[in-house]
Amino acid sequence: MVTGVLEMDADNSLHKQAAEVSNGRGESSLSRSDASEAQPNAKRVRVQMQKELTFKDMYENKELFEEDDEEDTDWEPCPVEKSVEVIKWFCKNCTMDNLDNDICCEECGEHKDSKILSLGHFASPFAQDGGLNEIQPSIKAMRDFDSQESAANSSTAIGFDERMLLHAEVEKKSHPHPERPDRLRAIVASLTRAGIFPGRCYPIPAREITQEELMMVHSSEHIESVEVTSKLMSSYFTSDTYANKHSACAARLAAGLCADLASAIVSGRVKNGFALVRPPGHHAGVKDVMGFCLHNNAAVAALAAQAAGARKVLILDWDVHHGNGTQEIFEKNKSVLYISLHRHEDGTFYPGTGGAHEVGYMGAEGYCVNIPWSRGGVSDNDYNFAFQHVVLPIASEFAPDFTIISAGFDAARGDPLGGCDITPSGYAQMTHMLNALSGGKMLVILEGGYNLRSISSSATAVIKVLLGESHVPELENSFPTKSGLQTVFEVLDIQNNFWPSLKPIFEYVMSLWEMRCLGKKVVDKQTKKRRRILVPKWWKWGRRSFLFRMLNSHRRVKSKRLC
């Protein structure tokens, strides 16, 4: 009852104020000394009244909302807060987003309408290609083509199946996932344009890996967690590791291709091979699915090689990320030597594992060799120096029967995730150095790499080395950066305890490191000496500049006489 009375009084006061404003009697509350201020003040009252009135009041006092024509001339609309849709396009090459009016990607420079998916790295990065005819490879023909004659005529086999392209992220997000089917499409387009595949390489038929073979690498829980995704339209193991209903099949095909390639190479049916597969595998551990990886393809291939007769297997991982899954699987196994070169940065770079002190355990110490770079921007010289002074000496002493390269190309120049600077010729050089091991029996397995131009050109360069078609110049002594030298020195200091062949190399690199540090100290000492003999800066000002020059020249003459 009290509430109702109060509401009636409030309504009456509102009507009264509205009437006063509409009848012009509101001027009594205005300053009558200045008539020019009356109209703006009345307008402010009206605006205030508009805010306070209810819908009923508005209906009964329509005159409050009727404005004169002369006031409409200076009317300006109030800014309306609403989300402005910015039209963007995502670069085909590196997936970075760009504004609609940009022609080329601000990140990698790739043209908006690049034909990299149909021409590979032969496509022009700056404009649409008019001079090159698009070659659409018959992927089905690649899969179905199988003859003993082609195997006899070719020393290099390639494993590929188009069903692996069906593994893709279903959920549409604000940014395309870097591990996408276009990675394989760009490589296949480059190989087709170069006349390498199909043509000079032998395509092996694809098969899905069996559960019994996977059980030698992964736990039953791991295998079941991957298999259950075939019943789901979309799922996620981690925030960045997706799956759809085709992912389990793609992972089985990738592992099966790697196993069959390893068996074919060890048995001598082909000399070497390249597994053009996805999803990648080196982050997949005994139980864990992570880092875009479902099944560990390199581990499956290593065990398949041993089943085919190889006693000792070398796995060299040059992906920019540490292969924590591969290390976990073999860190107690002396028959498999795992060497990884990766960004580490004191554990702050994904996945955070792979420090130089991680060497294996339970009798297999020294069979895990981690070369953890302390920063990004690592170049060919750093990798070559590490190969010459760590990788090759240890691998030669190990004397593998079979070599596997976990070939992630995300340390390549321009990769959006890697942030390093390896060139295609750098990858070709590393492949050439490893080719001398195990009698040339080598399998290269695709891991990461998310810049299509970099990954396709680098993969092509590596396959040319496998075919023996690429002339790789002999390496001269390439001197690394200071941080690269420090990393190699720290790795040698640890691995020197397990590999006798490293002792003279460790002493040599230690001398290089001491000279590098000593040279810095000498420079610092000379700099401090110069600072002591220099006159304070304020002597240079005004009329004292002449005196400063005279004193300084006098000291120089005196120092020359003393010498």
Side-chain angles (χ1 to χ4, degrees):
M1 188 71 181
V2 176
T3 307
V5 172
L6 291 175
E7 288 178 353
M8 289 177 62
D9 291 342
D11 291 341
N12 292 334
S13 64
L14 285 173
H15 288 298
K16 184 177 180 181
Q17 292 176 19
E20 289 179 354
V21 173
S22 61
N23 295 331
R25 291 196 299 268
E27 292 180 0
S28 59
S29 62
L30 302 176
S31 176
R32 297 174 183 175
S33 59
D34 191 352
S36 62
E37 294 181 1
Q39 187 175 354
N41 286 343
K43 187 176 181 180
R44 280 197 296 270
V45 172
R46 182 171 54 206
V47 171
Q48 182 64 28
M49 289 299 303
Q50 290 175 4
K51 294 180 179 179
E52 296 177 354
L53 295 180
T54 63
F55 285 115
K56 181 180 178 182
D57 297 327
M58 292 179 186
Y59 177 77
E60 295 177 353
N61 297 276
K62 297 179 181 179
E63 64 273 9
L64 287 175
F65 305 93
E66 295 176 357
E67 299 191 3
D68 299 332
D69 294 338
E70 57 186 37
E71 291 182 354
D72 290 342
T73 56
D74 13 334
W75 179 84
E76 292 181 1
C78 298
V80 179
E81 295 183 4
K82 62 178 180 178
S83 58
V84 179
E85 183 179 357
V86 179
I87 302 176
K88 295 181 179 180
W89 60 275
F90 294 98
C91 179
K92 297 177 183 177
N93 183 45
C94 68
T95 73
M96 293 295 108
D97 57 336
N98 298 269
L99 297 177
D100 188 52
N101 55 357
D102 292 334
I103 299 177
C104 295
C105 176
E106 292 185 0
E107 182 71 20
C108 68
E110 193 76 17
H111 193 271
K112 184 178 181 179
D113 299 320
S114 170
K115 295 183 179 180
I116 192 168
L117 294 180
S118 56
L119 300 176
H121 72 275
F122 293 97
S124 170
F126 307 111
Q128 299 185 44
D129 299 88
L132 293 176
N133 295 324
E134 295 186 38
I135 298 178
Q136 297 294 343
S138 177
I139 297 177
K140 186 175 187 301
M142 293 180 191
R143 185 183 64 177
D144 294 342
F145 177 70
D146 182 19
S147 67
Q148 294 298 323
E149 182 181 357
S150 65
N153 293 336
S154 176
S155 61
T156 300
I158 286 186
F160 175 75
D161 191 282
E162 78 276 9
R163 285 174 288 177
M164 292 182 290
L165 300 175
L166 298 176
H167 170 62
E169 188 175 35
V170 175
E171 184 179 344
K172 298 300 181 183
K173 296 188 175 181
S174 59
H175 192 277
H177 200 286
E179 207 296 287
R180 59 204 192 278
D182 290 345
R183 298 171 64 239
L184 294 191
R185 292 189 179 102
I187 297 175
V188 170
S190 296
L191 297 178
T192 304
R193 170 62 59 178
I196 293 175
F197 180 67
R200 290 177 242 169
C201 294
Y202 166 58
I204 69 166
R207 73 169 178 92
E208 298 181 28
I209 198 78
T210 64
Q211 185 170 354
E212 290 73 21
E213 291 172 292
L214 284 177
M215 286 288 290
M216 299 175 67
V217 174
H218 299 293
S219 65
S220 57
E221 293 82 7
H222 175 105
I223 299 170
E224 179 61 28
S225 66
V226 175
E227 288 302 314
V228 76
T229 62
S230 61
K231 303 175 183 178
L232 304 172
M233 183 66 67
S234 176
S235 57
Y236 285 85
F237 295 97
T238 64
S239 59
D240 62 355
T241 306
Y242 64 83
N244 63 10
K245 61 181 180 180
H246 305 289
S247 299
C249 177
R252 290 194 301 269
L253 286 168
L257 283 167
C258 291
D260 290 350
L261 279 167
S263 299
I265 296 168
V266 172
S267 62
R269 282 181 284 154
V270 292
K271 183 178 181 181
N272 52 43
F274 192 103
L276 190 56
V277 296
R278 62 181 291 274
H282 72 149
H283 291 308
V286 176
K287 298 179 180 179
D288 298 322
V289 176
M290 60 180 291
F292 313 161
C293 303
L294 302 188
H295 295 322
N296 197 304
N297 303 318
V300 169
L303 296 182
Q306 290 182 329
R311 294 182 303 109
K312 295 188 289 186
V313 177
L314 165 66
I315 300 179
L316 188 283
D317 190 337
W318 68 41
D319 190 283
V320 77
H321 303 98
H322 178 242
N324 57 304
T326 309
Q327 177 174 295
E328 179 196 3
I329 293 167
F330 295 114
E331 60 189 350
K332 296 180 287 186
N333 192 334
K334 295 178 67 174
S335 66
V336 177
L337 172 63
Y338 177 69
I339 304 178
S340 177
L341 304 95
H342 52 271
R343 280 183 68 178
H344 185 253
E345 301 176 19
D346 295 325
T348 60
F349 196 78
Y350 186 87
T353 56
H357 63 279
E358 299 176 25
V359 297
Y361 63 98
M362 293 186 65
E365 289 83 1
Y367 289 86
C368 284
V369 181
N370 287 303
I371 304 174
W373 306 119
S374 60
R375 61 172 184 81
V378 187
S379 64
D380 293 348
N381 283 348
D382 293 307
Y383 274 77
N384 288 334
F385 188 82
F387 261 67
Q388 290 174 324
H389 296 90
V390 180
V391 175
L392 294 180
I394 294 177
S396 299
E397 186 174 345
F398 178 69
D401 303 307
F402 184 61
T403 300
I404 296 173
I405 301 178
S406 278
F409 295 108
D410 43 6
R413 179 178 296 172
D415 190 272
L417 299 187
C420 289
D421 197 35
I422 309 301
T423 63
S425 60
Y427 285 115
Q429 183 67 61
M430 289 188 284
T431 308
H432 176 72
M433 288 188 281
L434 293 171
N435 202 28
L437 301 169
S438 59
K441 292 184 177 182
M442 182 163 62
L443 170 61
V444 182
I445 300 175
L446 181 66
E447 297 286 358
Y450 311 103
N451 179 304
L452 300 189
R453 187 168 295 277
S454 297
I455 192 176
S456 58
S457 59
S458 299
T460 303
V462 167
I463 293 175
K464 284 183 177 180
V465 174
L466 297 180
L467 287 168
E469 297 180 358
S470 178
H471 173 69
V472 181
E474 291 296 326
L475 260 184
E476 299 180 357
N477 289 330
S478 53
F479 203 75
T481 60
K482 182 186 175 182
S483 63
L485 177 61
Q486 182 178 6
T487 298
V488 171
F489 170 67
E490 291 172 352
V491 172
L492 287 171
D493 189 22
I494 295 172
Q495 293 294 335
N496 180 44
N497 300 316
F498 311 111
W499 303 96
S501 62
L502 293 181
K503 290 183 179 179
I505 300 173
F506 171 66
E507 293 174 357
Y508 168 68
V509 173
M510 182 171 61
S511 66
L512 291 179
W513 177 244
E514 289 176 347
M515 288 174 59
R516 187 72 179 258
C517 294
L518 184 63
K520 184 179 185 302
K521 288 180 180 178
V522 170
V523 171
D524 288 346
K525 188 175 181 181
Q526 292 176 349
T527 304
K528 290 178 181 178
K529 187 176 180 181
R530 287 196 210 100
R531 287 175 182 169
R532 280 198 297 269
I533 65 173
L534 284 176
V535 182
K537 293 182 179 179
W538 59 268
W539 276 66
K540 300 180 183 180
W541 301 342
R543 299 178 181 178
R544 293 193 176 107
S545 61
F546 174 78
L547 181 60
F548 166 77
R549 287 194 296 269
M550 183 181 69
L551 290 173
N552 213 21
S553 61
H554 174 69
R555 283 193 172 89
R556 284 199 215 102
V557 172
K558 187 176 180 180
S559 62
K560 286 180 181 178
R561 287 175 182 172
L562 291 174
C563 295

